[in-house]
Amino acid sequence: APRRAYARNNPRICYLVSDMQGGFLEKAISKEAADRPKSTVPKGKKEWDDRTIDTTVSVLVEILNERGGLAKNDLERRCRSGTGVKEFKGKCCGAPDEPVPMSEQDIAYRLIQEYTRPAALRDSVGPIMDWASEIFGNVKRKGEATGQKMDAETEISVLRDVIKECIIRHVLKQINSENSGTQAFGSHDAGLLATPQGYTAGDLDSFSADVISGLMTRGFGVQDNFIDDDTVRDVYNELEMIDYEGKLTEVQQQKMTGYRTDRICWVNYEGLDREKQPGLMQLFKKMISIPFELNKKCSLYLQATASFQLAAYPKKGFYKKHVDGGYEDLNNGRKITAVFYVNKDWDSSDGGQLRMYKRRPNPFELEKSAAPSQEAKEDTAEEDIDPEGGRLVLFRSRDMPHEVLSCKKKRYAISLWMMGPAGPGDQPGSHHTST
């Protein structure tokens, strides 16, 4: 009933539906467009006049803000749970269970506000409505093929949902693109460099010579007993409480495509509860030292960071093969990944291994190699690492394909991504010290 009332009371939506039925806004090409100087428009496309664009922008704004801003709230939820934007605040560890949407004025808030302004939506009208037209047409054709023809009110309702989804996905794509570019640019910022001489909270000696050597040669290293057993137990219990309180959320767009099934949240060191989360505080404090130690021993030019991802994999949970970073257009700034495990009494038969694949040659190695360029080969699995409590894995974010194998019981992981420029420490024969 509410949707029908919405359709009857919103002639702009009816206007769009009727034009879609006649050939996607073809009827809306007014005399204004015809009077303009001719411009080059791709074959099969129509040039929109200002009235059509303004009307469509009004519809997009209505859809984003209707029902108390449900669409915009959905956009924020997906944005915060799926992108890992550097300054995003975690929805846990002292934050309210249900914070007021759009109230956290961090980079997530600013980007969402920026890309949902009418002026920004005006620039996005074309791709959003082209996409909506394609999806809407497919839905209609599939329904008609099975004898399910929609009446006018149903068409308006379906179109409204299609447009809402297209707005959210388009804005997410813009935010992810800008955030990746910002982080890639920021990874060169010397002001954020983790300078070893400036670290005074303890000794920079958490990793063995084998771990450092493995990171610089094979692309990954495994450090057992990174923290003591008592702290591991504390962290496990604190993660269980965070999980029990429902603070971890699914990455919906990736779950829907069957890519991953874990639940996550982002947490800053400053956001921890000193009384309720002493284990996490001790762990985070030690992990914060990692880029300082790696810069001391490997000259990687990593930046300091205190933003962590907490993840819980349910029984049968997994995360398919992927790479955390990349080069050039795929550069999101990530250079080194650190993953810490707290899982009690984990056995290989429990599954959930972190499968590391053979390190891929980076552009610096390919450039230095005298061999002619060859087509990319299938990645070869190199090692399956059990997620045992107290174990920390380091690997090169840009070079190392990896996946999380299906687990037979709940599995927790804490990840820290260290930003840094591509180049230093990436070339063949890069200098490093073992101590």
Side-chain angles (χ1 to χ4, degrees):
R3 288 189 175 183
R4 292 183 179 180
Y6 177 90
R8 287 195 298 269
N9 297 327
N10 286 269
R12 285 185 288 244
I13 283 284
C14 298
Y15 164 81
L16 289 175
V17 172
S18 64
D19 285 326
M20 279 185 165
Q21 291 173 327
F24 190 53
L25 300 181
E26 185 172 358
K27 298 175 185 176
I29 307 303
S30 68
K31 185 175 182 299
E32 179 184 350
D35 292 339
R36 291 199 207 118
K38 291 187 177 181
S39 60
T40 303
V41 179
K43 186 176 181 181
K45 301 287 183 180
K46 297 289 184 180
E47 186 176 8
W48 291 15
D49 58 57
D50 288 339
R51 173 177 169 269
T52 303
I53 295 174
D54 291 341
T55 300
T56 308
V57 169
S58 297
V59 171
L60 302 186
V61 172
E62 286 180 6
I63 290 175
L64 280 171
N65 295 320
E66 67 177 339
R67 302 182 198 174
L70 282 179
K72 191 172 280 190
N73 294 346
D74 187 19
L75 169 61
E76 182 186 13
R77 179 185 58 77
R78 295 196 209 179
C79 186
R80 291 185 183 279
S81 66
T83 63
V85 170
K86 188 176 180 182
E87 295 181 25
F88 280 15
K89 296 179 181 178
K91 298 278 188 167
C92 64
C93 302
D97 285 357
E98 295 295 337
V100 178
M102 310 302 294
S103 64
E104 300 182 57
Q105 297 193 18
D106 54 8
I107 192 172
Y109 173 87
R110 295 195 296 272
L111 289 175
I112 291 170
Q113 291 292 86
E114 172 66 23
Y115 285 110
T116 56
R117 291 183 303 112
L121 291 173
R122 203 174 199 278
D123 294 335
S124 300
V125 160
I128 289 175
M129 296 307 291
D130 275 343
W131 195 10
S133 175
E134 180 181 354
I135 295 174
F136 181 69
N138 290 338
V139 170
K140 282 191 66 176
R141 284 190 291 273
K142 289 180 180 179
E144 291 170 355
T146 58
Q148 299 177 359
K149 189 173 182 179
M150 294 184 286
D151 59 28
E153 289 185 344
T154 302
E155 284 188 345
I156 292 170
S157 175
V158 171
L159 175 60
R160 172 184 151 278
D161 289 338
V162 168
I163 293 175
K164 180 185 76 172
E165 185 64 22
C166 289
I167 297 171
I168 291 173
R169 293 193 180 192
H170 183 77
V171 173
L172 278 175
K173 183 178 179 181
Q174 290 178 304
I175 289 174
N176 288 341
S177 176
E178 176 164 331
N179 180 55
S180 294
T182 299
Q183 292 199 5
F185 177 78
S187 67
H188 296 265
D189 189 346
L192 301 175
L193 187 66
T195 307
Q197 295 82 354
Y199 186 81
T200 59
D203 296 331
L204 297 176
D205 196 25
S206 297
F207 300 109
S208 68
D210 288 341
V211 172
I212 298 299
S213 176
L215 179 66
M216 298 303 289
T217 54
R218 294 198 298 165
F220 69 98
V222 180
Q223 180 67 57
D224 288 330
N225 304 312
F226 182 72
I227 57 175
D228 63 86
D229 292 342
D230 289 340
T231 304
V232 173
R233 282 192 291 270
D234 288 343
V235 173
Y236 183 90
N237 293 335
E238 291 160 20
L239 287 179
E240 270 198 323
M241 182 58 66
I242 291 171
D243 193 8
Y244 175 77
E245 292 175 348
K247 305 298 186 180
L248 305 176
T249 58
E250 294 172 331
V251 186
Q252 288 291 343
Q253 61 268 41
Q254 292 183 328
K255 181 182 178 182
M256 290 172 64
T257 58
Y259 200 64
R260 63 191 292 186
T261 58
D262 58 327
R263 290 173 290 108
I264 67 171
C265 73
W266 292 86
V267 187
N268 289 319
Y269 176 78
E270 294 81 4
L272 294 175
D273 187 314
R274 294 178 179 273
E275 294 184 0
K276 296 181 179 179
Q277 295 159 332
L280 282 169
M281 289 205 69
Q282 187 171 338
L283 172 64
F284 283 13
K285 186 175 181 179
K286 187 164 185 180
M287 290 183 72
I288 286 170
S289 74
I290 294 176
F292 293 89
E293 180 171 350
L294 294 182
N295 283 347
K296 175 184 177 182
K297 297 180 178 180
C298 309
S299 301
L300 294 175
Y301 289 80
L302 299 173
Q303 295 178 1
T305 181
S307 182
F308 298 81
Q309 179 189 274
L310 313 182
Y313 290 80
K315 186 177 180 179
K316 297 183 180 180
F318 63 88
Y319 194 158
K320 291 186 178 179
K321 185 177 72 172
H322 62 285
V323 180
D324 287 350
Y327 296 90
E328 298 176 349
D329 293 342
L330 299 177
N331 183 11
N332 59 9
R334 293 176 177 177
K335 186 165 186 172
I336 299 293
T337 301
V339 185
F340 181 77
Y341 300 111
V342 298
N343 307 295
K344 299 177 180 178
D345 304 319
W346 198 272
D347 187 81
S348 295
S349 62
D350 295 322
Q353 285 82 9
L354 174 66
R355 173 166 290 175
M356 300 302 302
Y357 289 83
K358 188 175 180 180
R359 181 179 178 180
R360 291 175 179 173
N362 61 45
F364 307 103
E365 291 173 306
L366 294 175
E367 182 179 354
K368 189 170 183 178
S369 174
S373 178
Q374 298 179 351
E375 293 185 4
K377 297 180 180 180
E378 185 70 21
D379 293 314
T380 304
E382 180 145 338
E383 186 173 336
D384 289 347
I385 303 169
D386 289 328
E388 296 178 3
R391 173 170 286 172
L392 186 136
V393 182
L394 290 175
F395 60 88
R396 292 177 171 271
S397 308
R398 296 183 174 107
D399 302 339
M400 299 301 298
H402 59 284
E403 67 176 308
V404 176
L405 305 182
S406 179
C407 51
K408 296 181 180 178
K409 62 181 183 181
K410 183 170 287 187
R411 171 191 189 276
Y412 288 117
I414 297 173
S415 299
L416 177 71
W417 283 279
M418 287 156 273
M419 316 295 285
D426 295 328
Q427 296 92 337
S430 295
H431 169 74
H432 70 278
T433 61
S434 58
T435 58

